[in-house]
Amino acid sequence: MIVIILSNLEIKNPSKESEKVKNLLYFLKKNKTLSKEEFLFVLDNITQEEFKLLRELAYSVREENFGNSVYMRALIEISNYCSQGCKYCGIRRNNKLVDRYRLDKDSILNCANEGYLLGYRTFVLQAGEDKYYNDELLCDIVSSIKKNHPDTAITLSIGERTKESYQKLFDAGANRYLLRHESASRRLYDYIHPDSSSYDNRIKSLYNLKDIGYQVGAGFMVGLPTQTNEDLVEDLLFLQKLKPEMCGIGPYLCHSETPLKGNVSGTLNQTLVMVALTRLILPNCLLPSTTALGTLSNTGREEALKAGANVVMPNLSPVEHRVKYEIYQHKICTGDEAAHCRNCIENRINFTGFVVDMGIGHHKNFGG
Ligand code: 5AD
Ligand code: FES
């Protein structure tokens, strides 16, 4: 576990470890890569002082590539049905307490229309793994949104599907796909998922998406039960290899109605370290400041923006369904109308010294 030792206020001679961590961070900023041993050294030895430097370096890389703008994406949670049994997730199939809902085509198109009027130019359609949305229905939804609003991007976040299915959805107009790898450590992945889940299929799906031509979003949780710094290093090495266009990093938040109940949640600082390191590895990556961070701490999303994140995803789902999409508990923004959320987040962004960018916000390699 990354333990950030709080520095005392005395001026002390820098330790050998501190000097080495700082040098590694400068090296990472310049070369965008470190070895397994070097990443591990950073995570094992980072103290408050180097954490400050890390955030400053990540902030400067973010500024060089995106100025002070923050991209806005409208999140529409289209269904909380899920056929999977991820042990951390509150909407897993076996949680009988969840009030299930799914949006039909018209409701989704209405959400998109509302979002378009509020200025959004990216719609993220997210759901549990819900077979109800077969290729035909989803392609129809995607192409209809594109027909109504040709100047928008569509991001899908609907789990593992076959390569053929990903291809059909891409051909129908989907531009981007979020599929967090959850953990690049096979041991940890297998620990937090049921036997029916396959680490290899998860990773393969990400490569399939890349192959097809999507802008691909990987991502992982920080502070998972039994997660070690070695596991987190695997996440960083995986990002170096896959080079995703987007990467969602959030704290694990313990949910009492899951098999992992009773565990400790991840922390703000642990998560910020991983966000900032990811910014140094992938300078052009679209990195969301996640709702999970905002749930963990009132200023979590603002802190993430200052540590290298450059995207926010305000919730546009119909308010009557919001609380039902409870992947973790006490989720923020569940009672707020889309327009309220839009203003609230803009105020927070401005207050932190950034400006909202309502543009389509493609990744640099895709014309952004
Ligand atoms: N805490 C934090 N993040 C979670 N996710 C799912 N359940 C939890 C939880 N309890 C994340 C997963 C998933 C994304 C949609 O939300 O990483 O991919
Ligand atoms: Fe939704 Fe603040 S961002 S209420």
Side-chain angles (χ1 to χ4, degrees):
M1 193 203 300
I2 309 166
V3 180
I4 297 166
I5 304 156
L6 291 172
S7 63
N8 57 36
L9 292 171
E10 287 167 44
I11 299 168
K12 49 181 187 303
N13 290 331
S15 69
K16 272 209 311 257
E17 285 78 13
S18 171
E19 281 306 295
K20 184 166 169 190
V21 171
K22 285 182 190 165
N23 287 335
L24 287 171
L25 293 178
Y26 286 119
F27 183 91
L28 178 60
K29 181 182 177 212
K30 188 155 170 262
N31 299 289
K32 303 167 195 58
T33 169
L34 287 181
S35 69
K36 187 172 178 175
E37 292 70 30
E38 290 167 334
F39 274 130
L40 190 60
F41 191 88
V42 170
L43 295 187
D44 280 347
N45 292 285
I46 191 163
T47 72
Q48 199 66 35
E49 192 181 319
E50 299 83 52
F51 180 40
K52 184 164 174 277
L53 172 69
L54 170 60
R55 279 179 295 174
E56 285 164 4
L57 293 177
Y59 183 91
S60 71
V61 171
R62 177 207 191 291
E63 200 173 32
E64 276 164 34
N65 292 288
F66 301 98
N68 62 351
S69 60
V70 177
Y71 288 115
M72 301 272 274
R73 318 298 201 195
L75 176 66
I76 309 174
E77 292 155 337
I78 64 174
S79 163
N80 69 353
Y81 281 86
C82 191
S83 57
Q84 294 298 319
C86 307
K87 293 181 187 165
Y88 44 84
C89 183
I91 63 167
R92 62 199 304 276
R93 176 191 59 223
N94 286 347
N95 185 358
K96 300 283 181 276
L97 299 177
V98 178
D99 185 5
R100 305 282 171 177
Y101 74 92
R102 50 170 75 97
L103 303 186
D104 60 16
K105 179 184 164 188
D106 284 347
S107 314
I108 297 170
L109 295 186
N110 285 340
C111 279
N113 290 343
E114 186 187 2
Y116 192 87
L117 291 174
L118 288 169
Y120 292 106
R121 293 297 176 265
T122 292
F123 300 113
V124 183
L125 308 187
Q126 189 164 72
E129 293 205 5
D130 184 358
K131 304 277 182 299
Y132 169 85
Y133 295 94
N134 58 26
D135 293 343
E136 197 190 339
L137 174 58
L138 271 174
C139 287
D140 182 27
I141 292 168
V142 168
S143 58
S144 302
I145 297 177
K146 273 296 173 77
K147 194 162 145 251
N148 293 345
H149 311 294
D151 56 339
T152 59
I154 296 185
T155 306
L156 297 175
S157 177
I158 50 176
E160 290 171 38
R161 302 173 79 94
T162 61
K163 188 170 185 186
E164 293 68 40
S165 172
Y166 288 153
Q167 182 71 57
K168 282 185 194 161
L169 294 165
F170 184 79
D171 295 341
N175 308 82
R176 309 178 188 144
Y177 205 105
L178 305 177
L179 186 76
R180 289 189 178 185
H181 61 278
E182 311 298 0
S183 170
S185 151
R186 186 184 288 276
R187 179 206 62 80
L188 182 55
Y189 188 93
D190 287 344
Y191 175 68
I192 60 174
H193 291 102
D195 291 345
S196 50
S197 291
S198 155
Y199 174 87
D200 290 323
N201 195 55
R202 192 79 178 177
I203 304 296
K204 180 91 185 96
S205 299
L206 281 162
Y207 282 100
N208 283 342
L209 290 162
K210 272 245 163 190
D211 225 35
I212 291 168
Y214 280 97
Q215 295 173 56
V216 172
F220 56 98
M221 285 170 282
V222 184
L224 284 161
T226 80
Q227 189 177 46
T228 62
N229 285 348
E230 280 83 356
D231 293 323
L232 290 168
V233 168
E234 292 207 41
D235 287 313
L236 297 173
L237 296 174
F238 178 65
L239 296 181
Q240 279 186 176
K241 202 163 120 201
L242 178 72
K243 300 199 185 344
E245 284 73 33
M246 306 168 280
C247 186
I249 303 169
Y252 159 70
L253 299 174
C254 187
H255 193 300
S256 62
E257 296 299 330
T258 63
L260 293 179
K261 67 174 177 237
N263 278 291
V264 176
S265 295
T267 70
L268 177 63
N269 282 351
Q270 288 173 327
T271 311
L272 293 177
V273 166
M274 299 309 286
V275 169
L277 288 171
T278 300
R279 171 57 68 211
L280 298 186
I281 297 168
L282 301 167
N284 294 304
C285 189
L286 293 151
L287 274 183
S289 157
T290 52
T291 306
L293 264 179
T295 298
L296 185 66
S297 153
N298 184 31
T299 56
R301 287 172 298 174
E302 288 85 336
E303 293 293 330
L305 293 176
K306 290 194 277 180
N310 68 329
V311 173
V312 293
M313 296 166 61
N315 201 323
L316 205 77
S317 316
V319 178
E320 71 263 32
H321 296 309
R322 294 263 187 98
V323 280
K324 303 176 199 163
Y325 206 92
E326 196 188 51
I327 47 183
Y328 45 80
Q329 286 152 315
H330 314 297
K331 196 170 156 211
I332 52 170
C333 304
T334 49
D336 305 289
E337 288 296 341
H340 174 86
C341 250
R342 161 85 180 73
N343 291 332
C344 167
I345 199 73
E346 178 157 11
N347 287 338
R348 283 171 176 265
I349 287 167
N350 293 340
F351 191 73
T352 318
F354 297 99
V355 291
V356 156
D357 186 329
M358 296 301 288
I360 198 161
H362 284 310
H363 186 275
K364 195 176 166 205
N365 298 347
F366 291 75

